[in-house]
Amino acid sequence: MNGIWRNSVSCLRIGKVPQRCQSGNPPVAPLGSRILTDPAKVFEHNMWDHMQWSKEEEAAARKKVEENSAVRVLLEEQVKYESEASKYWNTFYKVHKNKFFKDRNWLLREFPEILPVDQKIEEKAKELSWDHVKTNAANGFSRMHCPTMPEEENHYKKSSGLSDGQNKAGSNFSTLDSTEHRKGLLKSEPFPGSNANFRILEVGCGAGNSVFPILDTLQNAPESFLYCCDFSSGAVELVKSHSAYRAAQCCVFVHDVCDDGLPYPFPDGILDVILLVFVLSSIHPDRMQGVVNRLSKLLKPGGMLLFRDYGRYDKTQLRFKMGHCLSENFYVRGDGTRAYFFTKGEVHNMFCKAGLDEKQNLVDRRLQVNRKKQVKMHRVWVQGKFQKPLHLTQKSSELIFSLLSHS
């Protein structure tokens, strides 16, 4: 039954904003609905959504990047920034504590997958009648019948080699297989969150600007559990000491995601959601693929990795002065922390190489203005959603074909 409702919610979400959930299409209203139609009114608001760059603007941005990356940081200095990265982030949080970043209250709007399925239904029920929900549940029994995602149906059939009848049975048994997979993993020693039925990991939690909005939402989902980790021990202490921190539903720990051999406080293959927001950009490009590969192993079959980070030619990249470039599109700030600026293609390649299926991959372009100084600044972010495939085991396949032979 949970599978039915999960597909229902998925189809409802896609039905309401059909373009956002399909890779390559421009985002629609939920990502931002303030559209600049009259350039004369540009300074009437602080931010404008879905900005299209002119050829001149893009050429100017490209030229600026060529200029500020012409002189590279010395190799010995680059080694220092890599080897002492934790020191720089500890200093950052010692200075700024939890005052630098604002709480990410936009998370649930962009990533409703953070909610457990029961809460998703509850949220949808506020907007739609239960009759509408049930109708869509019947229509969306199998995700292959979701009308806005026909390309997934073809891909699934080609990769599995199953007929239509086998497809329908497979959608049910892959969910069953996923549940059995998790139960098998949880037979080992108890660990934080071992009794939960929905688990989230935020990588690079910082001072908790995502943690506490999520925990606030999960108050109505006691069987959910949030893990969060950070490279900086100072950041982890800020989260632990926060008045809203609840150890019964959250586990924060120090972790270097670049260290493949470093264990997590939970087994592989049990996470429903991984949140990777403005984190990967701070890691050396040569190590990014290894990080994504490792995180992929933590997801259960069907689990989602949610990504958002700096895009190429964001104002942050254009503001760097000459002498701060470490390598192509990778820079060091004055405080020793680093930032990389992604393209949509780079994001696609990285996550797909890790064995994840792309569900969303878009460039979010906005125009930020300083009305007092009459200054315009282009913001560029890349946002993606990537899912771990549901693979049928031999046991599940035997069950499916047994049912089909008796039908």
Side-chain angles (χ1 to χ4, degrees):
M1 180 62 74
N2 281 344
I4 298 174
W5 290 115
R6 185 181 296 276
N7 287 322
S8 169
V9 172
S10 175
C11 289
L12 283 171
R13 190 184 303 125
I14 293 166
K16 189 168 183 179
V17 284
Q19 292 182 335
R20 284 195 70 243
C21 291
Q22 297 184 47
S23 175
N25 286 319
V28 290
L31 199 59
S33 55
R34 184 170 289 149
I35 310 299
L36 179 63
T37 54
D38 183 358
K41 298 180 178 181
V42 66
F43 293 107
E44 289 188 4
H45 297 285
N46 294 328
M47 187 82 77
W48 297 94
D49 304 308
H50 316 311
M51 295 299 298
Q52 298 300 313
W53 287 29
S54 67
K55 291 182 180 179
E56 292 76 16
E57 287 172 325
E58 188 162 353
R62 189 181 298 110
K63 183 179 179 182
K64 181 65 177 175
V65 168
E66 290 173 358
E67 291 172 353
N68 70 20
S69 59
V71 177
R72 301 291 172 91
V73 175
L74 294 175
L75 184 58
E76 53 266 31
E77 289 293 306
Q78 294 197 36
V79 171
K80 181 187 73 172
Y81 291 128
E82 176 68 20
S83 61
E84 299 181 10
S86 62
K87 184 187 79 171
Y88 291 114
W89 280 110
N90 274 324
T91 301
F92 175 89
Y93 286 109
K94 184 177 181 180
V95 172
H96 299 288
K97 300 189 183 300
N98 60 356
K99 307 297 182 184
F100 191 83
F101 301 110
K102 295 180 180 179
D103 281 354
R104 293 168 176 160
N105 295 312
W106 50 266
L107 274 176
L108 289 177
R109 184 180 71 245
E110 295 305 322
F111 299 128
E113 295 83 357
I114 293 171
L115 288 174
V117 63
D118 291 342
Q119 265 191 283
K120 292 176 192 173
I121 295 170
E122 186 177 333
E123 292 294 322
K124 284 295 175 185
K126 295 175 183 178
E127 304 173 16
L128 303 169
S129 71
W130 275 110
D131 288 339
H132 191 180
V133 174
K134 290 175 182 177
T135 300
N136 279 275
N139 293 335
F141 182 77
S142 168
R143 76 184 184 94
M144 275 67 74
H145 292 148
C146 224
T148 58
M149 303 172 71
E151 72 284 356
E152 289 192 24
E153 178 178 2
N154 294 333
H155 172 75
Y156 185 84
K157 288 180 181 178
K158 288 177 182 178
S159 61
S160 65
L162 299 179
S163 65
D164 287 343
Q166 291 168 322
N167 246 344
K168 294 175 183 177
S171 65
N172 296 327
F173 281 99
S174 57
T175 303
L176 172 65
D177 180 52
S178 175
T179 304
E180 292 179 350
H181 167 75
R182 294 198 305 276
K183 287 180 178 178
L185 289 171
L186 302 181
K187 287 179 181 177
S188 57
E189 292 297 318
F191 56 89
S194 57
N195 293 324
N197 60 17
F198 189 86
R199 300 179 184 86
I200 307 166
L201 168 66
E202 187 197 3
V203 178
C205 63
N209 300 95
S210 297
V211 172
F212 297 109
I214 293 173
L215 276 180
D216 183 58
T217 303
L218 294 184
Q219 287 187 83
N220 299 322
E223 293 184 344
S224 300
F225 198 87
L226 173 64
Y227 304 98
C228 46
C229 63
D230 201 278
F231 195 30
S232 165
S233 58
V236 168
E237 287 306 314
L238 286 172
V239 173
K240 281 185 177 179
S241 61
H242 197 285
S243 60
Y245 181 71
R246 300 194 304 276
Q249 204 172 15
C250 183
C251 173
V252 60
F253 55 99
V254 177
H255 193 86
D256 179 2
V257 292
C258 293
D259 187 345
D260 289 345
L262 198 61
Y264 285 82
F266 50 82
D268 288 358
I270 67 159
L271 296 179
D272 293 87
V273 175
I274 293 177
L275 196 61
L276 193 63
V277 175
F278 294 103
V279 174
L280 204 58
S281 55
S282 66
I283 294 170
H284 194 287
D286 291 346
R287 308 183 77 176
M288 289 180 185
Q289 188 65 59
V291 170
V292 176
N293 291 348
R294 181 68 186 97
L295 293 177
S296 176
K297 294 177 183 178
L298 300 177
L299 286 170
K300 72 177 187 181
M304 295 286 288
L305 194 154
L306 309 175
F307 172 85
R308 188 172 174 88
D309 220 318
Y310 295 114
R312 190 70 47 84
Y313 306 144
D314 178 68
K315 72 155 189 176
T316 308
Q317 181 177 17
L318 304 186
R319 281 183 166 181
F320 276 107
K321 304 298 183 184
M322 191 179 295
H324 284 261
C325 185
L326 298 164
S327 59
E328 193 171 357
N329 301 301
F330 190 45
Y331 300 79
V332 62
R333 302 182 182 93
D335 61 4
T337 62
R338 300 170 297 176
Y340 185 83
F341 298 86
F342 296 93
T343 65
K344 190 171 77 168
E346 289 172 338
V347 171
H348 168 85
N349 291 336
M350 191 160 32
F351 288 96
C352 290
K353 282 180 181 178
L356 303 178
D357 292 337
E358 182 181 289
K359 299 301 177 185
Q360 181 195 73
N361 187 9
L362 55 85
V363 178
D364 179 9
R365 299 180 186 272
R366 307 195 189 193
L367 183 67
Q368 186 176 10
V369 301
N370 185 318
R371 288 186 279 179
K372 184 177 181 180
K373 297 181 179 180
Q374 299 283 288
V375 175
K376 295 183 286 184
M377 299 162 286
H378 285 283
R379 302 311 312 264
V380 185
W381 299 296
V382 180
Q383 179 169 304
K385 302 179 182 183
F386 301 88
Q387 187 173 42
K388 190 167 186 175
L390 285 166
H391 292 300
L392 296 176
T393 64
Q394 183 64 33
K395 182 178 180 180
S396 295
S397 300
E398 290 172 358
L399 285 169
I400 293 169
F401 292 116
S402 175
L403 282 175
L404 289 171
S405 63
H406 291 88
S407 61

